[in-house]
Structure formats: structure tokens, C-alpha cells
Amino acid sequence: MLDTQIKAQLSAYLEKLQHPIELIASLDDSSAAGEIRTLLGEIAALNNKISVRWDGDNARKPSFAIARTIDSANGQAPRVSFAGIPLGHEFTSLVLGLLQTGGHPPRVDDATIATIKALKGSFEFTTFVSLSCHNCPDVVQALNLLSVLNPNIRHEMVDGALFQAEVTERQIMAVPTILLNGQPFGQGRMTLEEIIAKIDTGSADRQAEEINAKEAFDVLVVGGGPAGSAAAVYAARKGIRTGVVAERFGGQVLDTMGIENFISVSQTEGPKLAAALENHVKEYSVEIMNLQRAEKLHAASEATGGLVEIELASGALVRSRCVIISTGARWREMNVPGEQEYRGRGVAYCPHCDGPLFKGKRVAVIGGGNSGVEAAIDLAGIVSHVTLLEFGDAMRADAVLQNKLRSLPNVTVILQAQTTEVLGDGQKVNGLAYTDRVSGEAKQIELEGIFVQIGLLPNTDWLKGTIDLSPRGEIEIDSHGRTSMPGVFAAGDATTTPYKQIIIAMGEGAKASLSAFDYLIRGGQ
């Protein structure tokens, strides 16, 4: 199962085990069970603190659990388990599960650990994943950590591709899908902070109180993506009091799979880059207020003491001498009947994450730009048939992508197609309606999934009526990143800056930060 290099690396990691652990297998006679048997045997052979039992009684087979040996001896049920073979993106989840169950301390601050240990109640989490999903490991690792630290919490990862019958029965059509005590809890990427906040009902009020008590910042960055991270680093390096308010640190980068045009880094993945951005910001004295959504901007005035104010959804108020807005953009929706009703039940936005759930089925991709064509190419290797619908009279993707798409036998391209409705049976998607823009004829396609890839919308709705926005909703800025409101700057995908690229957003964030510093040293002029 594991090659020589991976075994050597894993053996080195396993030296960090502080307590003996057991791998408890629940197997059937499937080929996947044979692979798990081999995998567990190879892992146990790497360290004498690991043993394997084959008498597990998990209803999901094949699966295995990880437990401290002393817990098993005392009759305590294991709290971390994997239904499936956690390779691919989930291999790191397996390694961390082994280490943390074995007593190796997690990379989490003491306050968060104390909060987790203090959680009251009984929590039985189940997460359905696909091994190609780059959003799933964060959820799996967060829930595993909760389970390791709190004896009232248990978590099982389920590979949806291996347990297709259960996926179909539960009508799971997007990953990660999280159940708590058998009921829906969440869908999509969730961080450890987000999960804790959702089950610790008093945390939001406590955080709001802490934010309200903070002194005014010199520079407050709103947004934690590439532009916001660069702005925060450049501000902090000037030695001024810097804060970051972010609804989700990392922003849209977290949802980006392959990044191959970030100069000096030939290839990386969005979550890795997002983690690197956050770690870089944390190297400086920057106060990060994560999971906080900005709702209103108040201009500096006598009433505000000459400070710009940001009102948060939590009710907290953050004050600063100047502000840099870098709230980025989000996936554009079709805004047709049925889209919201069937979101997560056949309507999807991430082909990498959710594509494996549609294996052997018929799907559509909406959009003929690079992202749409790339999605169609990826999906064609999984599903039975892909129909790509493009509103215009030609696809807009790069020629090399179009050539690859046309070479695939199970792809149909329809141009001049205006999607009008997502069709379903009340439970899940079963079709799509569109209008032929040339003939005006209304048509329908029978399918099980729709992947929407039609571009981005700036996250600026909360700014309407306060600063100047373009007809597209982008923040209008000048060459220095200044907005129409004194003391307020902006950078990145939320602005009128052309070419929405990570490397451009970073440069614009740095520029806005330098402009903000210049504004401050000139006395706000």
C-alpha cells in the first residue's frame, strides 16, 4: 500500500507517539477490506507502540478506529474512526489521527484546547468525504481533534465513493457533508473555529465582547485573502497597530485546487497557500479576528472620534484610523428557479470536491471560460456524460483547453444556451431547462448534477451607499488604492483592478497598505 519513501517518512513521524495505540479493524470480504488489512499491518510494523485488532464491531465495513491502548483496556469506545481507506487528500488526516491519539500535542493554542475540553453534551459526528476533495481534510482533522481532546465527542470519516448505497440513501450530493447525532450539521469547508462556534452557543457573544473592548487600530484590514494578508504584513512591518477582520481567513483561495501561475512557485494548492498566508501574518503583531463578517462601514467623523468604524454581524464595532477593504469575490450564481432549492442536492460549485459523487451519472457544466472547460475535462473522467452550456456564441477558454475538451468522446458543447431553471423531483436534481438563444426554443436535459462555473461577484453588498462602486459592484479605487471615502483604501478582487489573479491581489494589497501608511504619517491627508 505504502511505498518505501512514505514508510520512511511515516516511521519518523510515529516516533512522536507518547502512548501506545491500537488500530481496531471492522472488515468484510471486499477488496477494500483487504487493502485496509494491508495498510494497518504496514503501519503497525513501523512502530512498536502500535498494535492491530481485527475484532471491531463497526456497522460500516470496511473501516477501522484508532484508540489509546489503555482506553481499550478500560472498555472505552474509540473516538476516531475511518470508514474507507484514508489515502489521497485524507492521508494527512490519518497521520494526525495516529499522532494525536498517541498523545502528540496538536498545533492549537491553549485557549482553544481549553474551550474544546469544556464542551458539554454528547456529540457523534459523521463526515462524508471524497478522497479527491481538498476541502474535506480540514473538516476531518478538526473533528478528529475535537474527539481526541474531549471524551464526549466521536467522529467517523466516511468515503462516499466506497459507501455509495448510504450516500444514495441519505441523498448526499456534496462533500464534505457533516452529520451530528444523525442530523445535518454542515456542508462544505468548516474550520475548527467554525465548528466550535457552532456547538458552543456562547462563543459568539464572548468574541463580540472581546472585540468591542479592543483599542482602535492604526490600520484595520477587512478580509483575509491574498490581498488582505499582504496588506496586513506590510502594515505590521511599519510597526503600527494592525488588525484583520475576516469572515474566513484565506478567502476564495481555500476553494482553489491547483495554482500553477504563482511566480516562483511552480505548483501548489489553495489550502496550502492559504495556510502559508495565515502563518506569515501571524509572524507579526497582527490581531486576527476570524469568523467575523463586516456589515456596515461608518466614515470618520466627530461622532466617531475621527476614526473609521466597521460594524460586524456579531454586533461588535471595530475602530481604526484607516481601513483597507479586501473582501474578495464569491462564485457567481445562475439566479434561476431551483438553484437554491437544489444547492447541495445536485447543484454544485466545486467539481474537484463533489465530482466523485456523480460517478457514472450525467452532469452539466454552466460556463465556457477556463474554469468551466477545466471542470468539464475533469468531470469527463468520472461521470458518464458532460454537457457544457455556454451563453455566448463561442467558448472563452484558452485554446489548449478547448482542444482537449473537443477530444473527449463523452462531452457535448451547447453554445447560445441560456439556463432558465434547475429541475428536480423535490429531493434532488433530475434535469435542466434552457433556451436556445438563436431559435428561442425552450429545451430540457435529463441529468443528475449541475456544476456552475460562470465567474465571480465582488463581496461588496455591505458597502452600497457608503463608498463609490462600479456598475459591476466593484469598489472604485485610484492608482494608490484610495476609495471615495477618506481613510478607506481597497485592494484585490473586490475592486476595479483588472485581472483577478492571486499575484495581482497580493501586489494591490501591499500597495494599499503603503498608501495607508503614507496617509497616516501625513496626518490623514
Side-chain angles (χ1 to χ4, degrees):
M1 288 291 293
L2 304 177
D3 64 32
T4 303
Q5 183 178 359
I6 291 178
K7 285 182 181 179
Q9 292 173 340
L10 182 55
S11 179
Y13 281 124
L14 294 176
E15 291 299 319
K16 299 176 182 179
L17 289 172
Q18 298 180 11
H19 308 288
I21 61 174
E22 283 186 329
L23 308 178
I24 306 168
S26 302
L27 304 180
D28 52 18
D29 58 0
S30 65
S31 60
E35 293 181 51
I36 288 179
R37 185 181 291 274
T38 300
L39 175 65
L40 300 188
E42 290 180 351
I43 292 172
L46 296 176
N47 192 286
N48 59 14
K49 288 182 178 173
I50 304 176
S51 59
V52 186
R53 284 171 39 195
W54 308 103
D55 59 350
D57 58 1
N58 192 340
R60 291 189 181 95
K61 295 180 175 64
S63 63
F64 67 95
I66 308 172
R68 285 193 186 182
T69 305
I70 191 171
D71 290 342
S72 296
N74 292 331
Q76 296 182 23
R79 303 198 295 269
V80 173
S81 58
F82 297 87
I85 309 168
L87 297 179
H89 287 300
E90 293 298 347
F91 186 66
T92 301
S93 302
L94 170 60
V95 175
L96 290 175
L98 295 168
L99 294 178
Q100 292 167 359
T101 302
H104 183 65
R107 292 184 178 179
V108 181
D109 62 84
D110 292 341
T112 300
I113 292 175
T115 299
I116 293 171
K117 290 182 175 180
L119 291 170
K120 304 297 183 184
S122 179
F123 305 93
E124 191 87 28
F125 286 101
T126 307
T127 305
F128 289 84
V129 308
S130 67
L131 299 184
S132 62
C133 168
H134 58 280
N135 289 326
C136 295
D138 283 354
V139 173
V140 172
Q141 291 161 27
L143 290 170
N144 283 350
L145 178 58
L146 289 173
S147 303
V148 168
L149 294 175
N150 189 315
N152 300 315
I153 303 175
R154 288 178 175 79
H155 174 241
E156 182 165 36
M157 181 215 83
V158 180
D159 178 5
L162 193 59
F163 291 84
Q164 279 281 352
E166 186 174 359
V167 165
T168 301
E169 180 184 353
R170 293 182 180 274
Q171 297 184 351
I172 292 170
M173 305 186 76
V175 291
T177 289
I178 311 166
L179 305 181
L180 172 57
N181 300 330
Q183 300 301 313
F185 175 80
Q187 194 175 83
R189 175 185 290 275
M190 293 183 74
T191 65
L192 178 63
E193 292 173 290
E194 289 173 307
I195 294 169
I196 293 172
K198 195 165 182 177
I199 58 179
D200 180 10
T201 54
S203 64
D205 291 338
R206 292 196 301 272
Q207 290 174 4
E209 290 178 6
E210 292 173 4
I211 292 172
N212 278 328
K214 292 182 183 293
E215 297 180 4
F217 293 95
D218 292 315
V219 171
L220 176 67
V221 180
V222 184
S229 298
V233 167
Y234 267 71
R237 286 176 61 87
K238 295 295 185 181
I240 56 180
R241 179 167 162 73
T242 305
V244 175
V245 168
E247 186 172 358
R248 185 179 67 151
F249 203 98
Q252 193 194 3
V253 169
L254 290 167
D255 302 321
T256 304
M257 184 57 180
I259 299 173
E260 299 178 351
N261 56 354
F262 189 70
I263 308 305
S264 83
V265 179
S266 59
Q267 196 280 330
T268 188
E269 295 177 354
K272 291 181 181 179
L273 179 58
L277 291 174
E278 186 170 5
N279 290 336
H280 195 175
V281 172
K282 287 180 175 178
E283 290 179 4
Y284 298 91
S285 298
V286 177
E287 292 194 43
I288 298 177
M289 293 158 276
N290 200 14
L291 307 184
Q292 299 293 329
R293 186 176 77 251
E295 281 204 336
K296 197 167 185 180
L297 171 67
H298 300 281
S301 65
E302 288 187 19
T304 66
L307 300 171
V308 181
E309 294 181 340
I310 299 291
E311 191 175 326
L312 305 180
S314 64
L317 199 65
V318 197
R319 303 165 182 84
S320 183
R321 294 174 63 193
C322 63
V323 167
I324 300 172
I325 300 172
S326 55
T327 44
R330 63 189 183 278
W331 288 114
R332 184 185 297 273
E333 298 177 348
M334 296 182 292
N335 293 318
V336 299
E339 180 177 17
Q340 294 305 318
E341 179 183 356
Y342 292 105
R343 189 183 183 114
R345 295 191 292 164
V347 175
Y349 300 84
C350 180
H352 300 292
C353 302
D354 299 332
L357 298 178
F358 294 85
K359 183 178 181 180
K361 298 180 179 179
R362 296 159 299 176
V363 302
V365 172
I366 311 300
N370 280 352
S371 60
V373 173
E374 287 173 349
I377 292 169
D378 290 342
L379 289 166
I382 302 171
V383 305
S384 65
H385 190 271
V386 180
T387 301
L388 185 146
L389 290 87
E390 162 60 35
F391 183 84
D393 58 5
M395 290 187 289
R396 295 162 286 110
D398 294 343
V400 64
L401 294 174
Q402 293 192 43
N403 291 338
K404 173 63 177 176
L405 185 72
R406 292 191 179 97
S407 73
L408 301 174
N410 61 335
V411 175
T412 299
V413 176
I414 303 176
L415 303 177
Q416 300 272 43
Q418 181 176 357
T419 304
T420 55
E421 186 177 1
V422 173
L423 307 175
D425 60 7
Q427 299 296 323
K428 60 184 183 299
V429 167
N430 62 15
L432 177 147
Y434 73 95
T435 298
D436 184 321
R437 297 178 59 237
V438 176
S439 67
E441 182 181 357
K443 297 184 178 182
Q444 292 186 4
I445 307 172
E446 291 185 4
L447 43 72
E448 288 79 30
I450 300 169
F451 290 83
V452 184
Q453 302 282 291
I454 54 176
L456 303 170
L457 280 176
N459 294 317
T460 57
D461 293 345
W462 64 288
L463 295 169
K464 291 177 179 177
T466 56
I467 58 177
D468 291 345
L469 303 177
S470 73
R472 298 167 62 94
E474 299 167 325
I475 303 169
E476 293 189 344
I477 58 172
D478 67 9
S479 60
H480 286 68
R482 291 179 289 230
T483 72
S484 60
M485 182 180 290
V488 177
F489 302 79
D493 287 2
T495 74
T496 50
T497 297
Y499 312 118
K500 312 304 185 187
Q501 299 288 314
I502 293 170
I503 196 165
I504 292 174
M506 286 185 175
E508 291 293 306
K511 181 172 69 175
S513 191
L514 294 172
S515 297
F517 181 70
D518 187 60
Y519 172 86
L520 292 175
I521 63 176
R522 294 177 184 275
Q525 301 297 319

